[in-house]
Amino acid sequence: MIDPGPLGTMAGGLGLFLLGMGLMTDGLKLAAGPALHRILTQATRTRTHALGSGLLVTALVQSSSAVTVAAIGFVNAGLLALGPALWVLFGANVGTTMTGWIVAMVGLKFKVETLAMPLAGLGALLRLTGEGRRSGAIGTAIAGFGLLFIGIALLQQAFAGLAGQISLPQGDGALAVMAQLGIGALMTVLMQSSSAAMAITLTAAQGGLITAQGAAAVVIGANIGTTVTALLAALGATPNARRAAMAHVVFNLVTGAVALLLLPWLIGALALAREAVGLPADPAAKLALFHTTFNLLGVLLMWPLAERLTLWLQQRFRAREEDEAQPRFLDATVLAVPTLALDALAREVARTGQVALRMAGAALAGADAALLKAEYTVLTSLDAAIERFVERLRTASMSQVASARLAHLLRIQRYQEEAAEQAVAAAALLPLARADERTDAAALAFESASQALLARCDPTAPAILAALDADLQAMERCYEDYKAELLSAGADARLALTDMERALRRGSALRRAAQQLYKARRRVVEGEAA
């Protein structure tokens, strides 16, 4: 019968490891947040830079999940193309192997009392005295580091007690290897942490519960298990998020399959390499080296395939993106970084502006009211998505600059909503049939001036405020002339009063739509200049 004592110790050690990893990751992300943003946006000029950025930042914040989320968010915000993002993700897979080295070379080598307890105490002190500042974030990371080592020590103690009571799948036969893969994948899925699975595997191997080759198969299974997390995260996400998640799945499956096929030879070669570089002879060091090697092997495999993979991914997941009523840039992954979330929001607001501009142009051209209602449904759906996104964004801690930018974007969105509503109102009123020469000429001048203003409001047009203001003034003059001519035609009985009233209401709605789009465009230009 298995002694429950070591099992309880193992559960406690695992809990402390996960808690420590979470605190360390959160603290490092807060402390290095600006650096993470800067590195991933600026250091992705080439695939080598992008790979190095993903590796460096993951090693820095000790979380490939955080880097993956950031990379996906940057793609959605238009700050990072899909191609460089893939190399950031591949680099993150290599960077996450740093956890294995920490466990193997530090966590299993020192007495916990001499390292973990002082770290936990120092971290707690910094956190309490530096709340809200970078020193507090660093303190959280240090305290997490200490708890992580305490968890590793408890896992060592638990596996030492279980060594004679339980046995893990041994051998190198097909069934044994599949069982080892399954254990690794299941641990990652259940704990939602490949780092925790890696720590358990290393301590189990160090305690003699499993051979080095069997533990290597468990490590491969843990890497494959991370694909389940990526797939779950991609459910209901934007097309770019699903493409990035699929790239993560492809990398891990291909790398795992190749490493599994080469497993016996890799273990033998790495044993020689370990001796050559002077690493300790214990299983943990060998496994850390194996973990790093097979992720680097994955990078080498992907190097010639990356362009084809990018093209293949861009051709996938297009159905939802082509549905204009669905947001393309609003992804929950960017909410943790307000600056990034505002970039995504600005791009989505620009999309709604294009819809509103198209509606105003269609109403001016006399389009059918049913067409405008269909377009208005698209716009209201986007507005609702923006509203939900903003509600979630407002719960984050934002600087005064970020809050001011959010208010700026919401004002632009309101102008666009009003323009769309006025376009629908104008489309519901039939255009005036030919009346007399003077009235027709005034109507044509107003329509031409309105078209010129709408063209100037297009984001693809040159952003010249003086020209934009001049077009607005020209439209206003033409509107006043058209209004005066309509009133005169009604008074002189050249136009039926009902037709005059309808034409006045339609002209007013078109004018109002153009005015709102002018305000939105001016705000956008001013914001870009600022």
Side-chain angles (χ1 to χ4, degrees):
M1 183 175 177
I2 297 176
D3 183 1
L7 290 177
T9 303
M10 184 174 71
L14 178 60
L16 285 173
F17 179 91
L18 290 172
L19 178 60
M21 180 63 72
L23 287 173
M24 185 173 67
T25 297
D26 290 344
L28 289 172
K29 279 195 296 183
L30 287 172
L36 183 146
H37 184 279
R38 184 169 57 255
I39 292 171
L40 288 184
T41 53
Q42 295 180 1
T44 54
R45 297 184 300 278
T46 66
R47 62 171 58 180
T48 305
H49 283 96
L51 181 70
S53 298
L55 192 160
L56 176 64
V57 177
T58 303
L60 179 68
V61 302
Q62 277 299 292
S63 173
S64 60
S65 298
V67 178
T68 300
V69 164
I72 291 171
F74 289 175
V75 172
N76 281 320
L79 300 176
L80 194 61
L82 181 62
L86 297 190
W87 287 104
V88 171
L89 296 175
F90 299 160
N93 276 279
V94 179
T96 197
T97 64
M98 183 62 69
T99 302
W101 288 107
I102 291 173
V103 173
M105 306 306 293
V106 182
L108 300 179
K109 299 296 182 186
F110 294 90
K111 288 186 177 180
V112 69
E113 294 83 0
T114 62
L115 182 66
M117 298 301 184
L119 285 176
L122 174 62
L125 180 63
L126 285 173
R127 182 175 181 177
L128 289 172
T129 58
E131 189 172 357
R133 300 196 302 271
R134 177 168 290 190
S135 60
I138 294 173
T140 300
I142 293 174
F145 211 52
L147 288 179
L148 182 147
F149 286 131
I150 296 173
I152 291 172
L154 289 175
L155 286 174
Q156 277 186 286
Q157 180 182 332
F159 281 122
L162 291 171
Q165 303 181 54
I166 64 172
S167 63
L168 295 174
Q170 305 288 348
D172 54 6
L175 289 178
V177 171
M178 292 304 295
Q180 292 156 0
L181 284 173
I183 288 172
L186 185 62
M187 283 196 298
T188 300
V189 171
L190 291 179
M191 295 183 292
Q192 289 293 292
S193 171
S194 61
S195 296
M198 186 71 185
I200 288 176
T201 305
L202 263 64
T203 49
Q206 194 82 346
L209 270 72
I210 191 169
T211 64
Q213 184 167 323
V218 175
V219 169
I220 295 173
N223 257 43
I224 293 173
T226 63
T227 63
V228 176
T229 305
L231 290 172
L232 290 174
L235 292 176
T238 62
N240 274 328
R242 286 181 285 168
R243 289 178 186 128
M246 183 54 67
H248 178 76
V249 170
V250 170
F251 179 88
N252 283 279
L253 288 180
V254 170
T255 303
V258 173
L260 194 59
L261 290 173
L262 300 177
L263 186 57
W265 296 278
L266 271 176
I267 291 295
L270 290 176
L272 296 175
R274 179 191 55 73
E275 293 177 4
V277 298
L279 287 174
D282 54 73
K286 185 186 291 186
L287 285 173
L289 183 60
F290 170 78
H291 192 204
T292 301
T293 301
F294 94 78
N295 274 286
L296 288 173
L297 178 64
V299 171
L300 293 176
L301 289 170
M302 287 296 162
W303 197 271
L305 302 175
E307 291 185 7
R308 293 180 184 176
L309 177 61
T310 302
L311 291 173
W312 181 78
L313 290 170
Q314 287 172 338
Q315 293 168 0
R316 298 296 180 273
F317 313 116
R318 296 186 61 85
R320 183 178 170 191
E321 184 171 331
E322 289 169 353
D323 182 0
E324 201 168 14
Q326 296 291 341
R328 293 183 188 173
F329 305 104
L330 304 183
D331 193 295
T333 57
V334 302
L335 288 167
V337 186
T339 302
L340 186 58
L342 290 170
D343 288 338
L345 181 62
R347 291 174 68 84
E348 205 65 64
V349 169
R351 282 192 67 222
T352 64
Q354 290 281 23
V355 177
L357 183 63
R358 193 167 64 234
M359 290 176 66
L364 188 62
D368 184 75
L371 173 64
L372 269 292
K373 286 182 180 179
E375 293 272 40
Y376 189 64
T377 300
V378 170
L379 187 132
T380 53
S381 178
L382 290 174
D383 283 342
I386 288 173
E387 184 177 340
R388 291 192 297 270
F389 187 81
V390 170
E391 285 296 330
R392 297 181 66 182
L393 176 60
R394 285 167 53 190
T395 62
S397 178
M398 289 192 293
S399 65
Q400 289 185 345
V401 173
S403 297
R405 188 182 177 198
L406 176 59
H408 178 81
L409 290 172
L410 292 176
R411 179 168 292 188
I412 291 171
Q413 183 201 13
R414 187 67 194 96
Y415 289 147
Q416 293 168 174
E417 288 176 357
E418 178 67 18
E421 291 168 3
Q422 294 297 326
V424 171
L429 301 165
L430 293 175
L432 186 64
R434 290 184 63 83
D436 56 60
E437 187 174 339
R438 284 167 30 199
T439 307
D440 291 344
L444 182 60
F446 170 61
E447 290 176 5
S448 298
S450 298
Q451 287 171 349
L453 178 59
L454 293 180
R456 186 70 67 182
C457 292
D458 192 322
T460 60
I464 304 172
L465 290 180
L468 185 65
D469 293 341
D471 284 340
L472 175 69
Q473 292 168 7
M475 188 274 293
E476 293 286 8
R477 287 194 301 270
C478 290
Y479 171 75
E480 292 299 334
D481 291 344
Y482 179 46
K483 179 179 176 182
E485 188 55 47
L486 284 173
L487 291 170
S488 176
D492 296 345
R494 288 181 285 121
L495 193 64
L497 291 179
T498 53
D499 290 341
M500 178 197 75
E501 181 63 28
R502 187 181 76 248
L504 284 170
R505 286 166 54 204
R506 183 174 185 275
S508 177
L510 291 172
R511 174 203 184 202
R512 180 69 175 163
Q515 286 175 332
Q516 297 304 303
L517 290 171
Y518 157 82
K519 291 178 182 179
R521 179 59 175 155
R522 204 175 205 292
R523 284 270 176 182
V524 170
V525 174
E526 290 171 346
E528 290 172 351

